[in-house]
Amino acid sequence: MSLTLYNTMTRSKQLFQPIDPARVTLYVCGPTAYNRVHIGNARPAVIFDTLYRLLNTLYPKVVYARNITDIDDKIMATAAELGEEISSVSQRYAEAYFDDMAALNNLAPTVVPYATDHIPEMIDMVSRLVAKGHAYAVDNGVEGEQGHVLFAVQSMRDYGSLSRRSLDDMLAGARVEVAAYKKYAGDFVLWKPSADHEPGWDSPWGRGRPGWHLECSAMIEKHLGDSIDIHGGGQDLIFPHHENEIAQSCCAHDGKPFANVWMHNGFINIEGEKMSKSLGNFRMVNDLLQQYPGEVLRYVILSAHYRSEQNFSKDLLDSAWRSLDTLYGFLRSQTAVVAAPCDVSDSEAYRALLDDLNTPVAVSELHKLARQMHGASGAEQALAKGRLLAVAHLMGLLQQDPEAWFKGARGGDTISAEEIEELIAKRNQAKADRDFQTADAVRNQLKELGVTLEDSREGTQWRRD
Ligand SMILES: [Zn+2]
């Protein structure tokens, strides 16, 4: 079985061949911890979590690193606004991010490096880049300019290869006013000076702090090595962030390749429109989780191919919820069937995932397997259930007890599970007393509260609508 992945660098699908099959390395750019994350930040986390799960079925050891940027001007601005310490703001939002990601059934990455824990490594990398002639420190004595260290993009022959932009294109597209201390307009910041009131670390260029691009290069070098197998992130990071990571890492390592495969997920639109500040249509994961189970969000993300643009809408979320109800409904109806152990690689869904992570096909296979399980009997049914659960596990879906799924809180619930059980007991008593009027009244009362009762020989089951 072989895995093929689309590589943004070559703009083609290629067979995945790890540098060292005994230790496969995956890096994904994580969030800047200054607010709650939106659904656009959740997409790469779910996509690369699925890839991580898949790689784990193929190789004995996969090291997956996803960083936290905990020093950044946006965090500093938020801290100033709230009158809080920078570290308390970044810690709070990093933890909120972990909670949100766990709610989407994402596994914890192997390593979660924080930028501020790697300042010596970053200073070391900048020093090497300066020594090799790829970077220069501004030494003009001008306050606010002195102490910048910039990467000299003209020192790198194939700068721009990932985004396929020439230096001229990049400059033509740049709208920012070029700082006078730059030798060349396209040069980017590796290290910048900090004013007294700003956080900073001592360095050979004075007290300062790292540029954003540098963080990932230094953390990758430390935790994964000079060359890694797969680097992932959102498509919006291709330029300048990933282009600059390549420049820093390749030049620090004398031209050694940085990442063998570059993977980028597409954008998420909301009700047909781009998410933007001006439209104010950001959908925060935390808000969505008040209305939908995290598994619904995961199902929606996996129902589109990661490279395509995805349109998020209320209809899509509602229909994903119904689809999961269907799947869990099949599982609930077969609770008594003991799933047979199953080799996940023996399924169409697995083959679809090996083909550049074709999750939409894998999702539709889940439905096929569920119907097969429903229609089968005996050993065949046990096998179908085993296969369904194995494939679902690989995708981080259907991991709950079906009963718990239907009884779980759904946005706007006005009655607790205990109260429902009490009312069902009251109805059972009424039926035993042949007081059918009371029994019906209880059923109707529950219906109005969004709870449906299903009577069978085994007793009464309930579900929230
Ligand atoms: Zn990065």
Side-chain angles (χ1 to χ4, degrees):
M1 293 258 177
S2 50
L3 170 65
T4 54
L5 296 171
Y6 183 90
N7 187 354
T8 309
M9 184 63 90
T10 58
R11 305 289 196 274
S12 63
K13 269 205 247 184
Q14 62 190 56
L15 187 66
F16 176 66
Q17 289 175 307
I19 301 164
D20 174 8
R23 185 177 183 266
V24 173
T25 48
L26 166 66
Y27 184 87
V28 176
C29 299
T32 299
Y34 75 106
N35 62 2
R36 298 298 296 231
V37 295
H38 55 71
I39 193 70
N41 304 113
R43 192 178 191 193
V46 169
I47 295 297
F48 293 108
D49 174 72
T50 308
L51 177 65
Y52 174 51
R53 289 165 185 262
L54 183 64
L55 289 169
N56 271 309
T57 68
L58 294 164
Y59 302 99
K61 185 175 181 187
V62 182
V63 186
Y64 169 26
R66 189 184 62 207
N67 71 301
I68 293 286
T69 293
D70 60 347
I71 178 73
D72 182 272
D73 289 0
K74 288 195 279 276
I75 308 174
M76 286 158 55
T78 303
E81 217 172 275
L82 301 174
E84 260 186 77
E85 290 290 323
I86 291 165
S87 57
S88 92
V89 169
S90 61
Q91 196 55 42
R92 185 169 71 248
Y93 287 117
E95 275 162 23
Y97 175 73
F98 300 144
D99 289 346
D100 287 350
M101 294 307 105
L104 301 184
N105 285 353
N106 290 313
L107 303 172
T110 329
V111 195
V112 182
Y114 283 66
T116 56
D117 292 335
H118 297 78
I119 302 292
E121 288 85 352
M122 294 179 204
I123 292 175
D124 182 63
M125 185 173 262
V126 177
S127 301
R128 277 179 280 148
L129 289 169
V130 171
K132 290 173 198 284
H134 290 293
Y136 58 93
V138 175
D139 189 15
N140 59 5
V142 178
E143 202 184 327
E145 296 186 4
Q146 171 94 10
H148 274 91
V149 185
L150 296 149
F151 186 93
V153 296
Q154 286 172 305
S155 74
M156 186 188 187
R157 198 162 35 90
D158 45 5
Y159 180 76
S161 55
L162 181 68
S163 56
R164 301 201 173 173
R165 296 175 192 216
S166 69
L167 288 179
D168 289 347
D169 292 342
M170 291 180 218
L171 296 187
R175 277 175 295 169
V176 282
E177 208 172 298
V178 177
Y181 55 85
K182 287 189 180 182
K183 286 187 186 165
Y184 178 74
D187 294 349
F188 62 87
V189 170
L190 297 170
W191 188 262
K192 58 183 156 193
S194 291
D196 290 344
H197 67 281
E198 292 172 334
W201 290 264
D202 289 332
S203 82
W205 318 283
R207 189 173 164 276
R209 57 190 191 277
W212 172 43
H213 314 305
L214 178 68
E215 298 176 4
C216 290
S217 283
M219 292 190 277
I220 288 172
E221 180 185 68
K222 171 156 186 193
H223 295 282
L224 303 181
D226 292 358
S227 300
I228 64 170
D229 290 307
I230 303 169
H231 193 314
Q235 192 185 299
D236 51 325
L237 297 182
I238 295 176
F239 184 84
H241 184 56
H242 288 165
E243 202 71 81
N244 292 349
E245 280 189 36
I246 295 173
Q248 295 158 162
S249 296
C250 286
C251 291
H253 303 135
D254 300 320
K256 248 197 226 175
F258 176 38
N260 275 359
V261 182
W262 282 92
M263 290 177 71
H264 293 97
N265 62 275
F267 292 115
I268 279 188
N269 295 324
I270 303 293
E271 307 284 350
E273 288 187 294
K274 211 173 165 223
M275 256 193 290
S276 71
K277 264 202 190 100
S278 54
L279 289 171
N281 61 350
F282 285 103
R283 289 287 181 278
M284 311 315 271
V285 172
N286 183 43
D287 293 337
L288 288 165
L289 288 174
Q290 307 299 315
Q291 301 161 51
Y292 298 94
E295 195 170 345
V296 169
L297 306 189
R298 186 176 184 97
Y299 185 98
V300 165
I301 289 171
L302 293 178
S303 63
H305 192 270
Y306 75 92
R307 282 192 281 123
S308 62
E309 255 185 34
Q310 181 167 33
N311 185 39
F312 239 71
S313 65
K314 188 177 177 304
D315 286 352
L316 186 63
L317 286 159
D318 291 342
S319 95
W321 200 340
R322 286 194 296 276
S323 297
L324 280 167
D325 276 350
T326 304
L327 291 169
Y328 272 116
F330 278 130
L331 282 172
R332 185 166 68 163
S333 70
Q334 314 288 326
T335 313
V337 177
V338 178
C342 156
D343 180 1
V344 72
S345 62
D346 182 25
S347 68
E348 283 302 319
Y350 188 72
R351 283 185 278 279
L353 294 173
L354 289 178
D355 179 14
D356 192 28
L357 221 55
N358 197 335
T359 56
V361 169
V363 165
S364 65
E365 285 297 321
L366 285 180
H367 288 271
K368 255 192 223 170
L369 288 170
R371 285 194 299 272
Q372 265 171 27
M373 175 186 73
H374 192 62
S377 60
E380 211 180 304
Q381 190 171 38
L383 192 65
K385 184 170 179 180
R387 190 169 291 155
L388 170 65
L389 290 176
V391 170
H393 181 258
L394 184 56
M395 301 173 75
L397 296 171
L398 304 182
Q399 300 305 292
Q400 297 182 44
D401 172 57
E403 279 301 319
W405 169 261
F406 286 111
K407 292 178 180 173
R410 304 193 164 201
D413 285 347
T414 49
I415 182 165
S416 71
E418 293 75 34
E419 289 165 321
I420 295 169
E421 299 287 358
E422 271 171 33
L423 283 169
I424 290 174
K426 181 179 166 191
R427 175 169 172 264
N428 288 342
Q429 188 56 52
K431 283 207 288 189
D433 298 344
R434 306 193 63 78
D435 175 4
F436 298 113
Q437 205 177 344
T438 303
D440 285 349
V442 171
R443 173 186 277 277
N444 292 338
Q445 183 188 353
L446 284 166
K447 186 80 204 158
E448 268 169 34
L449 292 164
V451 178
T452 300
L453 301 184
E454 289 161 11
D455 293 317
S456 71
R457 265 176 306 180
E458 286 77 37
T460 304
Q461 288 188 315
W462 61 270
R463 57 177 287 174
R464 294 186 195 271
D465 297 323

